[in-house]
Amino acid sequence: MFKSNEVQVSEILRHGAVDFMTGQAMDFVNFTDQSVDIHHFFPAKYCQKMSYDRHKWNSIVNKTPITAHTNRVVGGAAPSEYMDNIERDGHVTQEDLDRFLATHLVDVDAMRRDDFDTYFIERAKALLELISDAMGKAVTNRAGQDVLTQFGAALE
C-alpha cells in the first residue's frame, strides 16, 4: 500500500485540492494557517462497521487534507450520507460538492454509491498518475502479482 502521507499530501496540495464545503484552496498557506486534518474519505468508523480491510481504508489512498471544521461535519458517516448532509444543510450545491471532491482525485460517483472497492482502485490509479507526473516517469508494475494481491485489481 501507499505509505507516505507527506508525499501524497504535498502532491494533492500542489494539484489544487479544495475543502469539501468551502471550496477554499488547500494550499500550503491554508494548510499551516488553518486547522487542517488528514481525513478519511470513507471514515474509519464507517469502514469498521462495514468490516473493510483496515490496510486499505487506513492507507493514504483513503486520506486527504481538509479543514478541521469540514472533518467534524463529515464525522463517521458513509460518504453518501455525509455528502447529502453537506448539501441539505446548505453548505454547497451537489454540483459544487462534486467539483470540490474531484479536486482530491476521487471517483465521486463511487462515493455517492458508497462503493468502496471502485473508489479505492480508482483513487489508487489517480494517485499513481499524480506521482508519475511529479517524477516525470511512469510508475511500473501496476499489474504485478503483488499489486493484485494488495489491491485486488491492476492499477493501470
Side-chain angles (χ1 to χ4, degrees), residues 4 8 16 24 36 44 48 61 63 67 91-92 107 110 126 129 131 140-141 145 152-153 156:
S4 175
Q8 190 259 354
Q24 182 178 22
V36 172
Q48 290 167 342
V61 176
K63 295 178 182 178
T67 64
H91 297 288
V92 296
D107 182 328
E129 287 303 316
I131 292 166
T140 60
N141 192 36
Q145 188 57 49
E156 299 178 310

Side-chain angles (χ1 to χ4, degrees), residues 35-93:
S35 215
V36 172
D37 290 340
I38 302 303
H39 165 69
H40 291 92
F41 284 106
F42 278 74
K45 183 177 178 181
Y46 173 76
C47 290
Q48 290 167 342
K49 175 182 158 193
M50 300 303 292
S51 300
Y52 293 147
D53 180 348
R54 180 180 174 82
H55 289 100
K56 287 185 177 181
W57 67 256
N58 203 38
S59 75
I60 196 63
V61 176
N62 192 36
K63 295 178 182 178
T64 203
I66 60 172
T67 64
H69 172 71
T70 299
N71 198 10
R72 286 189 300 275
V73 171
V74 166
S80 64
E81 186 178 331
Y82 71 70
M83 292 166 77
D84 285 346
N85 290 342
I86 290 170
E87 293 161 11
R88 184 183 58 246
D89 293 344
H91 297 288
V92 296
T93 65

Side-chain angles (χ1 to χ4, degrees), residues 26-40:
M26 297 302 299
D27 58 21
F28 289 104
V29 172
N30 287 330
F31 192 84
T32 55
D33 284 350
Q34 296 197 25
S35 215
V36 172
D37 290 340
I38 302 303
H39 165 69
H40 291 92

